[in-house]
Amino acid sequence: MIEKMLPYLIAFVGPLVLTLVLTPIVREINRKLGMVDQPDPRRINKVPIPRGGGIAIVLGVGIAYGLFVLLSGRPALQGLSDAKFLKMSALAVAIALLGLADDKFSLSPKVKLFGQLVIAFLVWWWADLGFNDLWPDLPRWLDCLLTVFWIAGAVNAFNLIDGLDGLASGIAFIATIGMAGGCFFVQNPQAALFYFAIAGGLLGFLRYNYNPASVFLGDSGSMCIGFVLSTLPLASHVPNSFLVSVGVPLLAMGVPIFDTSLAILRRTLRRLIARGGNAAGGRVMTADSDHLHHRILRATGLNQRKTAWILYGVAATMVGVGLVAMSLQSRA
């Protein structure tokens, strides 16, 4: 048992330790570069806090897991060629750099969305990943649209939920552990190893991101997390299994996906109402303070920690539902 668990422990601890070491370094570099969230009426933080700390997760997981693969001689991902894995890694770095540019220069929402769509398209076209294995008869144009929508949606979901100390990183940690558990049901231990590596990096960062946070994920971290958690099921999928490829990831990312859907609906309705009343209305891509965590804070009067734990509980419950469903399907 110990021998079987040892690779998972190593894959988890390596990124954990490296991210613990790198996060304070990245935090201070970003502070000197002026990448700091200043308090304002929409933000919850009351003091200036450096952002862009998610780069520490990218570096910690990338370096530690790369060394693990090289030293162990294991494939990077079961069923995925090294060339394709390198392409996916390059695109993950690209979206992290796009987020870092936003953390530094505050890109316009349209520029950021355009970059996300281009990277999502490259996943389908360059890395050759999509839903065609799940639905072999799917037309290529529709496969492209679904893939781009799935990735861009997840990227923005984690970007929007990152408004509370430790919320996005904590939910991502729960989602990652749940998706790793799903890999065991479908006999894909190598994918589970990579999920454990990501979970280690997230837990290491959560040490500094949990309330009271000393550093924020920033777009570099939240966008990269959404990208990885949406593309990994496409890379480690089970052909003809909707539950494994889409169902469990949807449940695991359920909280940020629901929050994003609600935000789009809310902002669209407000825009339409404002037009009808000849008043100045906000745009769909304009940030507001009506996300799930904002609403819970206002409705309950709880502090950031308790609010985060409510949403952690919802995320864990949804992951549990997904795993139970996989268990029943496996037995059937």
Side-chain angles (χ1 to χ4, degrees):
M1 177 65 71
I2 294 176
E3 186 177 347
K4 288 183 178 179
M5 292 302 298
L6 188 59
Y8 300 99
L9 183 63
I10 295 173
F12 179 82
V13 171
L16 169 65
V17 173
L18 196 52
T19 306
L20 279 171
V21 172
L22 288 173
T23 301
I25 299 172
V26 171
R27 179 184 63 198
E28 295 311 311
I29 292 174
N30 291 354
R31 189 192 304 274
K32 292 180 180 179
L33 291 174
M35 296 163 58
V36 178
D37 265 358
Q38 301 292 342
D40 65 38
R42 191 180 64 83
R43 299 185 188 277
I44 296 175
N45 58 298
K46 304 301 181 184
V47 297
I49 297 177
R51 60 177 178 262
I55 290 297
I57 302 175
V58 177
L59 293 173
V61 174
I63 294 171
Y65 189 72
L67 289 173
F68 172 77
V69 169
L70 287 174
L71 295 176
S72 66
R74 293 171 175 265
L77 269 181
Q78 184 176 322
L80 196 69
S81 67
D82 290 342
K84 190 172 287 190
F85 181 80
L86 288 174
K87 289 179 180 180
M88 293 304 303
S89 300
L91 293 172
V93 170
I95 204 158
L97 291 176
L98 174 65
L100 190 64
D102 185 54
D103 290 332
K104 174 60 180 173
F105 302 109
S106 297
L107 304 176
S108 73
K110 289 182 179 179
V111 170
K112 191 164 61 172
L113 179 61
F114 176 76
Q116 294 167 356
L117 293 175
V118 169
I119 293 171
F121 172 75
L122 289 174
V123 170
W124 177 82
W125 179 72
W126 184 49
D128 193 27
L129 288 179
F131 291 95
N132 55 330
D133 286 333
L134 181 61
W135 297 299
D137 297 329
L138 200 66
R140 279 186 60 80
W141 66 269
L142 186 55
D143 183 32
C144 176
L145 285 179
L146 282 175
T147 303
V148 170
F149 178 78
W150 168 254
I151 296 170
V155 166
N156 282 288
F158 276 97
N159 191 16
L160 291 175
I161 202 70
D162 186 28
L164 205 67
D165 291 357
L167 182 57
S169 51
I171 287 178
F173 174 77
I174 294 168
T176 305
I177 292 296
M179 291 162 80
C183 291
F184 291 111
F185 282 105
V186 294
Q187 306 300 316
N188 193 343
Q190 193 61 35
L193 281 170
F194 193 33
Y195 279 119
F196 271 101
I198 298 168
L202 287 166
L203 188 61
F205 182 78
L206 197 56
R207 158 68 179 80
Y208 305 97
N209 188 228
Y210 189 66
N211 182 260
S214 63
V215 63
F216 290 153
L217 272 173
D219 282 15
S220 56
S222 59
M223 286 168 53
C224 189
I225 288 171
F227 177 84
V228 171
L229 292 187
S230 61
T231 54
L232 268 180
L234 301 179
S236 56
H237 64 275
V238 175
N240 300 316
S241 176
F242 177 85
L243 184 63
V244 177
S245 300
V246 179
V248 171
L250 266 176
L251 287 169
M253 297 186 288
V255 170
I257 287 174
F258 176 76
D259 181 59
T260 301
S261 303
L262 192 64
I264 293 172
L265 176 62
R266 176 177 68 246
R267 295 172 188 177
T268 301
L269 289 175
R270 285 177 179 171
R271 182 68 172 171
L272 292 173
I273 291 170
R275 283 180 177 177
N278 296 320
R283 297 183 178 180
V284 174
M285 299 177 71
T286 301
D288 59 28
S289 56
D290 280 319
H291 292 285
L292 287 177
H293 45 280
H294 294 125
R295 291 171 177 269
I296 293 173
L297 282 169
R298 288 198 299 265
T300 63
L302 296 174
N303 58 28
Q304 288 198 54
R305 289 191 178 189
K306 291 179 180 178
T307 299
W309 276 101
I310 287 175
L311 292 172
Y312 290 166
V314 174
T317 300
M318 297 180 76
V319 166
V321 169
L323 293 179
V324 169
M326 286 192 70
S327 172
L328 295 176
Q329 186 189 55
S330 176
R331 295 188 181 195

